[in-house]
Amino acid sequence: MPVTIYDIANKAGVSIATVSRVFNGSTRVSANTRSNVLKVAADLGYQPHATARSLARRKSSIVSAVIPMLTNYFFVEILRGLQDTLARTEYDLLVFSARTLDEVDGQMDRALQRGQAAGIFVFSSPMTGERVTKLSAFNEALVLVDCFHPGLDSVTTNNLEGGEVATRHLLETGCERLALIMANPESVPARDRRDGFERALASAGREFDPSHVVTSTDEDHHGYNEQSGYDAMRKLLAGKVCPDGVVATSDVQAIGALRAIREAGLSAPEDIRVVGYDDILIARHVGLTTIRQPMYEMGVMAAERLLSQIEVPTQTRAQTVLSPCLVVRRTTSNDVGSGEEPSGQIVGRA
Amino acid sequence: MPVTIYDIANKAGVSIATVSRVFNGSTRVSANTRSNVLKVAADLGYQPHATARSLARRKSSIVSAVIPMLTNYFFVEILRGLQDTLARTEYDLLVFSARTLDEVDGQMDRALQRGQAAGIFVFSSPMTGERVTKLSAFNEALVLVDCFHPGLDSVTTNNLEGGEVATRHLLETGCERLALIMANPESVPARDRRDGFERALASAGREFDPSHVVTSTDEDHHGYNEQSGYDAMRKLLAGKVCPDGVVATSDVQAIGALRAIREAGLSAPEDIRVVGYDDILIARHVGLTTIRQPMYEMGVMAAERLLSQIEVPTQTRAQTVLSPCLVVRRTTSNDVGSGEEPSGQIVGRA
DNA sequence: TTTTGCCGTGTAAGCGCTTACACTATGCCT
DNA sequence: AGGCATAGTGTAAGCGCTTACACGGCAAAA
């Protein structure tokens, strides 16, 4: 009882080709026939069969996204950008979420399944050789989001710049002894942020104290978690030279660090200034100065990029790099008004 | 150059039917043939074509979820439950997110597209007549999540109970003048929570003061936003009898209320105790007592329900109702330890 | 030895749609 | 009047796979 184009063709006294034409790019069909077919289709409650359509067209109307740790606010925001952009097209979004980075490979395989999608997004996954091989063999559109590989399209933010901006901010507010609380170096963004930290120090002519860089070896979320920030801060506080400014490679780590600071009877920004990274929702509420990434825009741009790849498959590759921006709040400044002013003072542009 | 079963059949010297059998329920194929086919397939780098498979099987390996306001932590958690459960099956998840409740209908139409999905989840959408009609006409599996309609499968939490528990908690801690900060009554959960509030008052023999129920008329997220909580609290503070206990229908509203309280020079729990609803991440950080919903579990159960519907289509309907649980934190108690103990004291079971 | 049955495999008919190609009018140009 | 576009429609061949049915062969049963 599902109604097909045959039913319509029968009832309207035309051929299935004509019915199909009506429902497609309307290649030359007379106005009469068209409206007649449309009417019959409406009467019968016809709906095109998505799968059959894809098969015949040799092109799916689905695009896939492989996302590790969907729980993360960062990804959800990007997803919004994707969705809002895709909603205006014929494409629907298949979401493959991996709980850990190890699960990414499995989900990627599912996503790369032939005939499934017209294109795919890969989020925040380190580009191992094996992955690059698989992705390069994929014949459809592909955009990396928040990760990078030469020769593949990507939309990323400039983590090096972000790390640098955060560090420079601390220097400018008068910090003398800077420290870095870093996530697991397996994470490429973490490494880039660290490089930015070092670069800012170097260009300010400051010496770089290796004991002031605490690196997580945590596997859970690659060290992007509160506990790892807490532990790192404790370690810093126990060191011989206590820092007066701390950059963390994520907000959650920064929040852990703040807890350690508070427990030590100290406070931010008075004793130690703290900068996070990401601008998650909580950052606002705890007044955390942070580096905001243009997440929504990343989603939009990634989607646009994918769509244009689908349209013109042979197109040259493009790597889009967006700049993060500094959001100044309580943990580095006494001037920003207390309490939870909604957004903080935004410095720089996204 | 994409390799099909014909290529394999040729090279292996068998028919396409045999190749197909190897890749399916392995209906009677000799061990020799099987391993030979598998080998050839591996050599050629064969991958089954997802779309063709769905068409031939008359059954998609995709399930869809229609989700309003994906930004919401609540939905993301449920999604995790869905994904984790689906990951173990052959099904992939198509996500249709609507930015507003009005967009739900459009996204629902896309999701209901014939031949697209083997089943669909509809999240948190009021069941208007039109929607019920469309959903009932859908011939595939269907599970409502966080919304309800008799005759359709659903997984919900008991909002009435949640409202009641929150209210009773305030009464037990000695509050005398209870108030309710309520979201837009278009939202069914909000109404249910209010009913719970009223019921708890009634069964405690308290009188119900209508002026102590402030209802949002906000359209933005149905009044589930910080501003609406803030405004409501201001209104309560300006009233002739100031409440000493407030239940909010969501954490974000509660957080707005807390701000209003602080700005009025008062504090929680000393002057006014506050209970939220949802247990979003921020709740922990501001020490908000709240009602936690078993979000992840909802996702798991919804997925399981859908899967079993797909397996046995004629099965009887089931409405699953999960109980929320109270999480006691600073805003209603001085005994819970200060600062941000991670989880709060959990009372009741999820 | 003949019968019965089952196992392993092939043949072919779809699934519901798109689209190249062919065909028939019709209108227009010479 | 004949020739030639051109617009509108139909015919049929797929898209890559699944699966009902048929068939040959061989082992067990008679």
Side-chain angles (χ1 to χ4, degrees), chain B residues 126-152:
Chain B
M127 285 297 114
T128 63
E130 192 197 349
R131 282 179 192 154
V132 172
T133 308
K134 272 190 213 159
L135 292 176
S136 308
F138 186 59
N139 271 321
E140 315 290 333
L142 165 67
V143 174
L144 303 181
V145 182
D146 189 42
C147 52
F148 177 87
H149 192 267
L152 296 179

Side-chain angles (χ1 to χ4, degrees), chain B residues 154-168:
Chain B
S154 60
V155 175
T156 53
T157 57
N158 195 331
N159 285 300
L160 198 143
E161 183 185 338
E164 200 174 357
V165 168
T167 311
R168 208 179 319 128

Side-chain angles (χ1 to χ4, degrees), chain B residues 24-350:
Chain B
N24 290 302
S26 64
T27 7
R28 321 189 302 268
V29 184
S30 77
N32 272 339
T33 312
R34 164 183 312 286
S35 69
N36 185 227
V37 166
L38 249 22
K39 186 175 172 318
V40 173
D43 287 355
L44 262 40
Y46 171 74
Q47 262 201 306
H49 189 286
T51 306
R53 210 178 242 222
S54 295
L55 185 59
R57 286 183 179 162
R58 267 141 271 219
K59 176 144 157 327
S60 167
S61 63
I62 286 177
V63 298
S64 301
V66 179
I67 309 180
M69 304 170 291
L70 183 59
T71 24
N72 200 314
Y73 172 69
F74 178 69
F75 297 122
V76 177
E77 268 306 295
I78 298 180
L79 213 49
R80 262 188 58 221
L82 284 188
Q83 292 264 23
D84 286 356
T85 309
L86 292 176
R88 277 183 242 108
T89 72
E90 73 200 286
Y91 294 99
D92 297 323
L93 184 67
L94 209 40
V95 175
F96 294 84
S97 79
R99 275 171 306 184
T100 67
L101 276 173
D102 297 331
E103 277 182 19
V104 164
D105 290 296
Q107 294 292 51
M108 218 163 80
D109 288 344
R110 289 179 77 148
L112 292 174
Q113 165 107 230
R114 189 166 56 103
Q116 176 92 279
I120 136 173
F121 302 97
V122 175
F123 279 50
S124 308
S125 306
M127 285 297 114
T128 63
E130 192 197 349
R131 282 179 192 154
V132 172
T133 308
K134 272 190 213 159
L135 292 176
S136 308
F138 186 59
N139 271 321
E140 315 290 333
L142 165 67
V143 174
L144 303 181
V145 182
D146 189 42
C147 52
F148 177 87
H149 192 267
L152 296 179
D153 265 39
S154 60
V155 175
T156 53
T157 57
N158 195 331
N159 285 300
L160 198 143
E161 183 185 338
E164 200 174 357
V165 168
T167 311
R168 208 179 319 128
H169 171 64
L170 288 179
L171 291 171
E172 282 164 3
T173 58
C175 293
E176 293 290 334
R177 303 173 304 282
L178 263 46
L180 177 69
I181 294 182
M182 173 155 166
N184 192 317
E186 266 192 53
S187 157
V188 180
R191 291 208 300 274
D192 290 343
R193 290 166 199 176
R194 181 195 53 200
D195 292 348
F197 176 79
E198 295 180 4
R199 191 159 81 178
L201 285 184
S203 68
R206 301 298 181 90
E207 97 240 27
F208 170 71
D209 178 353
S211 81
H212 269 182
V213 175
V214 182
T215 300
S216 169
T217 54
D218 208 334
E219 288 296 327
D220 172 37
H221 283 58
H222 271 190
Y224 291 109
N225 62 64
E226 195 175 323
Q227 189 60 39
S228 112
Y230 177 80
D231 294 342
M233 193 66 228
R234 298 256 301 190
K235 205 160 160 187
L236 287 170
L237 289 169
K240 39 187 181 300
V241 183
C242 183
D244 61 354
V246 175
V247 175
T249 49
S250 72
D251 284 350
V252 282
Q253 289 169 284
I255 285 166
L258 287 173
R259 180 156 59 93
I261 290 173
R262 202 166 39 243
E263 285 181 12
L266 302 173
S267 71
E270 291 75 10
D271 305 297
I272 304 177
R273 295 180 199 270
V274 176
V275 184
Y277 209 109
D278 284 345
D279 199 20
I280 62 177
L281 281 175
I282 301 175
R284 253 178 60 190
H285 285 93
V286 301
L288 176 65
T289 292
T290 190
I291 302 293
R292 175 188 296 167
Q293 312 199 59
M295 301 169 274
Y296 184 86
E297 289 79 0
M298 286 177 79
V300 173
M301 301 202 66
E304 283 170 353
R305 191 78 204 117
L306 197 82
L307 291 170
S308 77
Q309 262 193 50
I310 292 175
E311 210 157 332
V312 190
T314 56
Q315 173 171 22
T316 51
R317 293 296 170 234
Q319 336 257 14
T320 309
V321 181
L322 301 176
S323 286
C325 76
L326 177 68
V327 183
V328 178
R329 298 207 184 88
R330 266 208 323 273
T331 55
T332 61
S333 161
N334 299 305
D335 308 337
V336 223
S338 70
E340 37 209 71
E341 46 45 82
S343 54
Q345 233 170 273
I346 299 180
V347 181
R349 39 187 297 286

Side-chain angles (χ1 to χ4, degrees), chain A residues 4-5 20 24 46 56:
Chain A
T4 72
I5 49 172
S20 175
N24 290 303
Y46 172 74

